[in-house]
Amino acid sequence: MVGTVFEEITLKNVGDVINVGRGYIKEAEVRQVTVRCIVDTGAATLVISEAMQKELGLRTKHVRESTLANGEKGGLQDSRSRRGAMEEPFHGL
């Protein structure tokens, strides 16, 4: 049976996680967001909103062109955390 699959996931700023391990910050200071999302087993990237990008402390590294499922074209942004590394696009990941 084919259907839409949803999952609750937690996205964390990996730089913050690394800094916890190094003792620079406390676990409670790790920037993270828990969201309910659609599972797409064929997806190569994760797309998040610009607001989520800011909440996680990610900056844009570079922009490349991408096409959404509806044919809309836009800029896919690879982002890195200010304290480490993570990937984000369209304002997505």
Side-chain angles (χ1 to χ4, degrees):
M1 184 171 174
V2 177
T4 304
V5 178
F6 292 90
E7 184 64 39
E8 188 172 281
I9 63 171
T10 300
L11 304 173
K12 295 183 180 185
N13 179 307
V14 71
D16 289 354
V17 173
I18 291 168
N19 284 331
V20 167
R22 293 177 177 164
Y24 298 149
I25 65 173
K26 296 176 182 166
E27 182 73 34
E29 295 177 272
V30 173
R31 290 168 285 186
Q32 59 186 338
V33 179
T34 300
V35 294
R36 184 171 184 256
C37 61
I38 297 173
V39 176
D40 181 352
T41 58
T45 58
L46 173 65
V47 177
I48 63 174
S49 68
E50 186 173 355
M52 191 175 300
Q53 177 190 20
K54 288 178 182 177
E55 188 172 347
L56 290 168
L58 304 175
R59 62 179 173 76
T60 300
K61 183 177 178 187
H62 66 274
V63 178
R64 59 187 171 189
E65 185 175 309
S66 64
T67 305
L68 299 177
N70 67 1
E72 179 183 342
K73 294 197 181 285
L76 180 69
Q77 301 181 17
D78 286 338
S79 297
R80 302 288 178 243
S81 80
R82 293 190 177 97
R83 295 182 184 163
M86 190 168 185
E87 186 176 308
E88 187 218 84
F90 227 53
H91 272 295
L93 221 174

